[in-house]
Amino acid sequence: QVQLVESGGGSVQAGGSLRLSCAASGRTFSSDVMVWFRQAPGKDREFVAAVSWSGGMTRYLDAVKGRFTITRANAKNTVHLQMNNLRPEDTAVYSCAAGDFISKLPQSYYYWGQGTQVTVSS
């Protein structure tokens, strides 16, 4: 059974940091694009960051550039999202996903985790 399981969410004050992890199991994801999306209450799911299969190409939502960093460790079938200088508007459920190519459209990805809550207070 293929699974993506996120961890590392929590509650922090503005300016704080969190490191999210996504552990994949059931098959190797070393050839897949891995991404993070987020969804705040009452809002659509939003692309946050993506990393190519090699880790050599990354893409970010403009609002998180310079604050968030996506990395992957193919040997461990994991992907991480380091989030620094967090803002209240970053509050959302963060989910990882896997797909064939980098896209900002959620429907482009075929495996999804359940998500982890990130709450940033002012």
Side-chain angles (χ1 to χ4, degrees):
Q1 182 181 0
V2 176
Q3 279 191 312
L4 299 178
V5 179
E6 301 92 340
S7 61
S11 297
V12 296
Q13 291 190 327
S17 298
L18 285 172
R19 185 174 187 249
L20 306 183
S21 296
C22 173
S25 61
R27 71 167 179 82
T28 181
F29 283 83
S30 59
S31 299
D32 298 79
V33 166
M34 300 297 294
V35 298
W36 287 94
F37 277 77
R38 67 186 181 187
Q39 188 167 23
K43 295 188 176 181
D44 292 336
R45 187 171 283 180
E46 178 180 51
F47 168 86
V48 175
V51 60
S52 62
W53 67 271
S54 68
M57 180 184 295
T58 57
R59 293 290 185 269
Y60 294 94
L61 175 71
D62 285 348
V64 308
K65 284 180 180 176
R67 301 189 297 123
F68 291 11
T69 303
I70 187 170
T71 56
R72 66 188 298 161
N74 286 339
K76 296 182 178 180
N77 236 15
T78 59
V79 62
H80 303 285
L81 185 67
Q82 177 67 43
M83 305 187 296
N84 298 328
N85 192 20
L86 283 160
R87 304 168 180 169
E89 54 264 39
D90 295 319
T91 295
V93 174
Y94 285 70
S95 300
C96 65
D100 288 328
F101 55 90
I102 293 179
S103 168
K104 295 184 178 181
L105 301 176
Q107 56 265 38
S108 299
Y109 300 95
Y110 37 74
Y111 291 120
W112 286 86
Q114 291 297 311
T116 184
Q117 177 70 47
V118 171
T119 303
V120 185
S121 58
S122 58

